[in-house]
Amino acid sequence: MQRQDWAAVDDHLARALLPADEVLEQVLEENRAAGLPPIDVSPLQGAFLTLLARITGARRVLEIGTLGGYSTIHLARGLGDGGRLVSLEFEPRHAEVARRNVERAGLTGVVDVRVGAALDTLPVLEREGAGPFDLVFIDADKGGYPQYLQWAVRLSRPGAVLVGDNVVRGGRLVDPAADDPGVRGVRTFLDAVGAHPRLTATALQTVGAKGWDGFAIALVD
Ligand code: SAH
Ligand code: DHB
Ligand code: MG
């Protein structure tokens, strides 16, 4: 099977399982028009995030890496009554597009997009007492993943679920020639998850419209 087959299977699965959704399609169109890179989660992965929020009964969600808010909207749609989501984004331009998209999705009162480097805004969240979070989605710069993991655990309640996106990156994870800060960050992140005394974890490889990648999923004890 090749990459175009993975995309065709994704299309088939999405058509069979996902309701037509003009808002989400418009979000992707807005992102394209604004020149954002097409590195959002896929529609099926987004639906997985909505399900995860519902399965965990999440009311407090933290996202690190907003881009245009495509994953944000999926997570926010799965929130229980009175739920809130905080999403951290470094690029003001991305945050601006995301806020417009969140508004289009009718989620402005639920989603708080914060601009800044996550390592600067995470301590602010802690000082504000914004947590503890029930679900954390880590999806910003891959070099930062090891530190985002420490913050995610620190800001989570026992029983919270942590998800790390893009931990396989087309197999670069295991390519000895791949040695950029992103790949090194993901390797360190995975080792730290595995060694963490409060985390029980797994990772699932994925193929589909976004190529070959994977999620790490951990439960905080
Ligand atoms: N979660 C999004 C995709 C995020 S792409 C979705 O699936 O729809 C990664 C995002 O992280 C980009 O928008 C990038 O600008 C942002 N980012 C990069 N470095 C960051 C940092 N230090 N702090 C916060 N966000 C960062
Ligand atoms: C990249 C980032 C992502 O969050 C993603 O899902 C895919 C690619 C990137 O920085 O290349
Ligand atoms: Mg990602």
Side-chain angles (χ1 to χ4, degrees):
M1 291 286 270
Q2 296 295 317
R3 190 179 167 125
Q4 67 263 34
D5 302 304
W6 304 343
V9 171
D10 250 23
D11 281 346
H12 183 105
L13 295 173
R15 262 199 295 277
L17 301 175
L18 307 183
D21 197 316
E22 277 179 30
V23 169
L24 290 173
E25 278 164 31
Q26 212 182 340
V27 166
L28 293 180
E29 186 47 47
E30 291 291 330
N31 291 358
R32 251 191 308 275
L36 269 50
I39 57 175
D40 348 65
V41 293
S42 72
L44 290 158
Q45 291 168 346
F48 170 70
L49 294 176
T50 305
L51 283 173
L52 202 54
R54 292 187 62 184
I55 290 164
T56 58
R59 283 162 199 276
R60 293 285 175 272
V61 175
L62 172 63
E63 175 177 66
I64 308 178
T66 318
L67 192 63
Y70 188 74
S71 57
T72 316
I73 290 166
H74 279 97
L75 286 163
R77 283 177 168 181
L79 286 169
D81 283 347
R84 298 268 298 154
L85 183 152
V86 182
S87 188
L88 308 181
E89 174 54 52
F90 178 67
E91 294 285 347
R93 205 170 52 86
H94 296 183
E96 194 185 305
V97 174
R99 287 186 182 125
R100 272 207 307 278
N101 285 332
V102 162
E103 172 149 32
R104 187 171 291 108
L107 291 164
T108 295
V110 170
V111 172
D112 178 8
V113 179
R114 302 272 182 111
V115 179
L119 289 179
D120 294 331
T121 50
L122 285 161
V124 175
L125 286 183
E126 182 175 51
R127 281 199 294 279
E128 288 175 2
F133 292 97
D134 307 310
L135 176 61
V136 182
F137 182 49
I138 301 175
D139 194 22
D141 57 304
K142 311 311 161 195
Y145 272 34
Q147 282 171 289
Y148 303 148
L149 175 69
Q150 301 308 322
W151 276 104
V153 173
R154 183 166 167 151
L155 296 177
S156 289
R157 67 164 171 82
V161 173
L162 314 182
V163 178
D165 195 24
N166 310 118
V167 299
V168 176
R169 302 299 292 273
R172 284 158 50 75
L173 176 67
V174 296
D175 179 356
D179 186 35
D180 55 275
V183 176
R184 276 189 273 125
V186 168
R187 288 181 189 135
T188 304
F189 167 83
L190 290 171
D191 289 343
V193 169
H196 201 293
R198 287 185 61 202
L199 296 177
T200 306
T202 188
L204 297 173
Q205 297 192 62
T206 56
V207 294
K210 302 281 168 161
W212 173 26
D213 217 319
F215 289 112
I217 305 176
L219 178 68
V220 183
D221 291 322

